[in-house]
Amino acid sequence: MTPGSALKFDLFAEASRKRKIDEAGDPLQTIAQHIDFAELAVLVDGIVGRADARKGGRPAYPTEVMVRVLVLKRLYNLSDEQMEYQLLDRLSYQRFCLLQDAMNIPDRNTIWRFAQRIGVDGATALFQGVDAQLQRHGYIARGGQAIDATLVPAPRQHIGKEDKERLAQGKTSDWNEAKRRQKDLDATHTKKHGKSHFGYKLSVSVDIKHRFIRKIATGTASERDGHHFDAVLDEDNTGRDVYADKAYPSKCRQEMLKALGWRDGMQRRASKDKPLSECQKRRNRKIASKRAKVEHVFAGIRHLGGKFIRTIGQARADVAMTLMAACYNIKRLAMFLHKGVDPFYKNTTA
């Protein structure tokens, strides 16, 4: 006797699987339901425009489809090659990108070219567009802000001694074009907690109430954490407290905050000849719980597939880091709306 099998074959198997995915709760459909990607696509088109189909060539994919692809790629930190494969393979990815009934999907080159085309201006438009949706739903910046910077690793460069000497002199003429494209001369090295890091740095301002990223600035790993303090200071936050760790305080900055009506929440650091007083230590501990909000955000970014970027050069790294911040806000906003989090409830901790 042939043993029984749990396998069942049916012409409607695909529809059955779709139904079960919906019942289980597809997180991508939660995002698609609550985020207005059509609005984001209009913003991108307003910055970079669309190719004129009348001039010939293959028609472009709709901007909304490509924006969704770019967001999905960043949510899971996928390479262009992996993004193409997953779009071919995964039903949930196809549905999210509006490609479930399409005969063809964007290939790796199309995805790469779209990211190149929108550039920093397009990525910034996406970030600002998501912020506009935050505001529209009532999630304004409240409760003060926490400012900090995080290292964003990039592929380490293997440059020989002779090439390093030539670079120090500003010479790279002996490199062919193919080799030059693979060398990141913008990323820098730094040391933190005794470990060496190579890449870039993302500075952010996070509101204490809702823990959304409100402002960003980008740089290289060797820049001081406080270098972009002024650039990310969010003047629209309804709270006047500004929290930051020991890398940020200076006499000039403290005076600036006081003159502008902000409350100084920067932790104090001891100097070689002047240890912290007990009062300063207690103050630092009190600030730590507020300042930690920004660390929660950096942890959230790491959960989006990690902070590592695969790009070469500052311009492409800026695009990747801006999309990183935008996608964190997208995922968090979708979660807030799905759970029905009241933006004005004083005990919001989501």
Side-chain angles (χ1 to χ4, degrees), residues 157-168:
Q157 303 298 295
H158 300 285
I159 302 176
K161 184 177 179 181
E162 289 185 12
D163 286 334
K164 286 182 179 179
E165 292 174 353
R166 293 182 66 83
L167 288 173

Side-chain angles (χ1 to χ4, degrees), residues 38 103 132-133 190 233 240 299 303 315 345:
M103 288 287 292
Q133 294 189 32
T190 191
L233 186 63
R240 308 310 293 169
H303 292 159
Y345 183 56

Side-chain angles (χ1 to χ4, degrees), residues 165-229:
E165 292 174 353
R166 293 182 66 83
L167 288 173
Q169 300 170 10
K171 301 176 182 177
T172 59
S173 58
D174 61 332
W175 288 358
N176 59 41
E177 186 62 26
K179 184 175 181 179
R180 175 64 184 85
R181 285 198 300 266
Q182 299 302 316
K183 296 297 181 182
D184 192 341
L185 303 183
D186 296 330
T188 57
H189 291 270
T190 191
K191 279 197 172 183
K192 186 174 183 180
H193 304 310
K195 293 183 178 181
S196 177
H197 301 269
F198 178 79
Y200 297 89
K201 186 169 285 185
L202 173 65
S203 297
V204 303
S205 170
V206 173
D207 71 290
I208 300 299
K209 174 66 175 176
H210 302 300
R211 297 207 298 269
F212 285 108
I213 299 174
R214 300 296 178 168
K215 283 199 172 184
I216 63 170
T218 57
T220 64
S222 60
E223 291 178 347
R224 294 179 295 104
D225 281 5
H227 183 70
H228 293 293
F229 181 89

Side-chain angles (χ1 to χ4, degrees), residues 76 155 240 280 282:
Y76 294 99
R240 308 310 293 169
Q280 288 174 318
R282 287 195 299 271

Side-chain angles (χ1 to χ4, degrees), residues 243-313:
Y243 300 101
D245 65 21
K246 300 175 184 178
Y248 287 85
S250 68
K251 186 175 180 181
C252 179
R253 188 162 288 152
Q254 289 167 234
E255 292 175 350
M256 181 269 287
L257 289 175
K258 184 177 180 181
L260 295 176
W262 299 96
R263 284 192 289 269
D264 175 11
M266 296 181 290
Q267 291 179 313
R268 299 294 185 255
R269 61 174 179 267
S271 61
K272 184 177 180 182
D273 302 319
K274 190 177 180 182
L276 293 178
S277 66
E278 288 301 317
C279 179
Q280 288 174 318
K281 290 179 180 178
R282 287 195 299 271
R283 180 180 181 276
N284 279 358
R285 287 194 292 270
K286 186 177 180 180
I287 290 172
S289 62
K290 296 288 187 180
R291 196 202 67 77
K293 304 289 186 181
V294 73
E295 299 296 345
H296 300 163
V297 171
F298 292 150
I301 290 176
R302 283 196 297 272
H303 292 159
L304 298 180
K307 292 185 292 182
F308 183 82
I309 58 174
R310 299 175 175 84
T311 58
I312 300 292

